[in-house]
């Protein structure tokens, strides 16, 4: 009886293992490559994208935040999806709350996985250089999970917040994620099946809604965002990967009373000088769009994304 019970348990255990292995193979091979990162993308999905890029190198990789990601828009309406539909082998690693520290971590991951595109395009948004911005000195959890071993101890201490919860439930979740790709990518799967709707556009945005978004303190190398922009560009330059950086289009019509002073312009010039000094080609698109092209302070409407695609398309390798 005991021997029979042991045999039954072993059979069940073997079936479970086989099902998990099969599930992992199916998820890894057949889960779609999305037009853009989901809101809460997982480390497993990011790893899969990096492995895919290593196997089939993209021509251009884009690193940006919600503007390049296409906030308020469908995934196929952002500039990168438009360029891809026109034949560019582009990959968009932008996400809603990205920032220069995330660019640096992603650049290290690209190099670690052997991804050597012909060009990397960086979006430079003054807003995320503001110390009160949530992404100013914090990595996205999925990026932190993958990139942590590649970063210095000083980088990890600054950019990765200490774990707030190490309960049994959290530890079991980590084990389950390591064993099951389906479990690890559950957030990606959920959002693919039931896309998270973006916040509805502000119908009549007023400047006071965005007070404090931009810090007009003179930028220096002490700014965390500036520091990691420099580190990102230097890492890519050492790998002989060309860089185009563009200043995020900004709605000066809306924000005139807050940002149209000498400090904002001088910070733009500081960034351009720094980026050019480190080998990047810089496009200043800060005033390239009119107020009617925006939903709010910086997020472009679909028609403006088409124009952004045209501008960036002229910079792409032939």
């Amino acid at each position: 009886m005991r021997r029979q019970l042991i045999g039954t348990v072993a059979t069940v255990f073997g079936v479970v293992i086989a099902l998990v292995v099969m599930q992992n193979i199916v998820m890894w091979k057949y889960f779609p490559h999305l037009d853009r990162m989901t809101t809460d993308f997982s480390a497993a999905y990011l790893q899969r994208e990096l492995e895919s890029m290593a196997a089939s190198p993209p021509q251009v990789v884009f690193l940006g935040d919600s503007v390049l990601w296409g906030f308020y828009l469908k995934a196929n309406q952002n500039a990168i999806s438009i360029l891809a539909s026109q034949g560019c082998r582009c990959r968009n690693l932008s996400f809603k709350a990205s920032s220069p520290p995330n660019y640096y971590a992603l650049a290290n991951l690209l190099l670690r996985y052997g991804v050597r595109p012909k060009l990397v395009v960086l979006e430079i948004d003054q807003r995320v250089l503001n110390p009160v911005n949530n992404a100013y000195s914090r990595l996205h959890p999925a990026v932190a999970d993958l990139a942590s071993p590649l970063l210095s101890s000083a980088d990890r201490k600054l950019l990765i917040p200490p774990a707030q919860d190490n309960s049994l439930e959290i530890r079991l979740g980590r084990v389950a994620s390591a064993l099951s790709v389906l479990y690890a990518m559950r957030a990606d799967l959920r959002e693919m099946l039931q896309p998270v709707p973006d916040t509805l556009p502000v119908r009549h945005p007023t400047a006071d809604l965005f007070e404090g978004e931009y810090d007009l303190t003179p930028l220096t190398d002490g700014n965390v965002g500036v520091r990691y922009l420099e580190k990102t560009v230097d890492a890519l330059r050492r790998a002989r990967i060309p860089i185009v950086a563009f200043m995020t289009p900004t709605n000066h019509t809306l924000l005139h009373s807050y940002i149209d002073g000498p400090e904002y312009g001088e910070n733009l010039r500081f960034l351009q000088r720094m980026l050019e000094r480190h080998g990047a080609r810089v496009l200043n698109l800060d005033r390239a769009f009119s107020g009617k092209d925006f939903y709010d302070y910086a997020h472009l409407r679909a028609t403006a994304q088409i124009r952004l695609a045209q501008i960036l398309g002229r910079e792409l390798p032939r």
Side-chain angles (χ1 to χ4, degrees):
M1 183 69 177
R2 182 178 179 185
R3 184 176 299 175
Q4 184 179 5
L5 178 61
I6 292 173
T8 301
V9 170
T11 299
V12 171
F13 185 73
V15 169
V16 170
I17 293 296
L19 287 174
V20 170
V21 170
M22 184 180 300
Q23 170 207 105
N24 289 350
I25 293 171
V26 170
M27 283 292 293
W28 209 255
K29 187 171 183 178
Y30 295 108
F31 189 86
H33 295 282
L34 305 175
D35 289 333
R36 63 185 178 189
M37 311 293 276
T38 58
T39 302
D40 295 314
F41 66 91
S42 65
Y45 181 76
L46 177 58
Q47 180 181 352
R48 181 173 173 274
E49 291 302 287
L50 290 164
E51 291 181 0
S52 169
M53 285 190 275
S56 180
Q59 184 183 36
V60 186
V61 173
F62 291 81
L63 302 178
D65 62 23
S66 58
V67 175
L68 205 55
W69 184 86
F71 193 58
Y72 295 134
L73 301 174
K74 295 178 181 178
N76 63 359
Q77 291 180 304
N78 67 47
I80 315 313
S81 293
I82 293 167
L83 288 169
S85 72
Q86 296 170 352
C88 174
R89 288 188 290 108
C90 302
R91 296 298 283 267
N92 191 1
L93 293 184
S94 306
F95 54 90
K96 285 184 183 179
S98 194
S99 59
N102 285 283
Y103 297 177
Y104 178 65
L106 287 167
N108 276 276
L109 283 167
L110 288 171
L111 299 178
R112 169 65 180 80
Y113 279 80
V115 181
R116 298 293 192 278
K118 293 183 179 179
L119 180 70
V120 168
V121 178
L122 303 176
E123 179 193 345
I124 312 299
D125 190 345
Q126 269 204 60
R127 187 175 55 90
V128 297
L129 304 181
N130 185 348
V132 303
N133 188 283
N134 289 336
Y136 173 72
S137 61
R138 285 293 179 265
L139 296 182
H140 185 286
V143 175
D145 191 23
L146 279 188
S148 178
L150 309 178
L151 303 177
S152 70
S153 58
D155 290 334
R156 289 195 297 272
K157 184 176 180 180
L158 175 63
L159 302 177
I160 303 176
Q164 299 299 314
D165 189 345
N166 199 32
S167 64
L168 177 61
E169 180 182 355
I170 296 298
R171 293 199 297 271
L172 289 175
R174 293 194 193 108
V175 172
S177 293
L179 295 175
S180 169
V181 176
L182 176 61
Y183 185 85
M185 293 173 61
R186 62 196 183 280
D188 311 283
L189 180 62
R190 181 172 60 247
E191 189 166 334
M192 185 192 73
L193 297 175
Q194 296 180 319
V196 176
D198 288 328
T199 305
L200 290 175
V202 179
R203 297 298 180 186
H204 300 287
T206 57
D208 60 289
L209 293 174
F210 308 105
E211 182 178 6
E213 289 283 345
Y214 296 84
D215 179 15
L216 300 184
T217 303
L219 290 174
T220 68
D221 292 338
N223 180 282
V224 170
V226 169
R227 190 187 319 163
Y228 282 95
L229 271 179
E230 290 180 301
K231 288 164 73 80
T232 301
V233 175
D234 283 346
L236 294 171
R237 184 177 60 176
R238 286 194 298 271
R240 301 182 182 276
I241 298 173
I243 304 136
V244 168
F246 72 94
M247 304 300 181
T248 298
T250 304
N251 189 349
H252 284 263
T253 302
L254 178 65
L255 298 178
H256 172 75
S257 59
Y258 289 118
I259 65 174
D260 284 345
E263 299 87 356
Y264 181 86
E266 182 51 43
N267 280 343
L268 280 179
R269 289 186 287 274
F270 171 88
L271 290 168
Q272 181 160 352
R273 290 192 300 267
M274 180 273 289
L275 288 163
E276 290 176 341
R277 188 170 64 249
H278 288 265
R281 169 168 162 73
V282 180
L283 305 179
N284 187 353
L285 304 186
D286 177 67
R287 291 180 179 268
F289 294 81
S290 66
K292 62 182 175 57
D293 291 320
F294 296 90
Y295 280 118
D296 49 26
Y297 58 98
H299 298 111
L300 294 169
R301 297 180 183 275
T303 51
Q305 287 277 352
I306 294 173
R307 186 170 160 228
L308 178 61
Q310 293 170 343
I311 293 171
L312 296 178
R314 292 195 286 267
E315 305 298 321
L316 304 185
R318 304 301 175 188

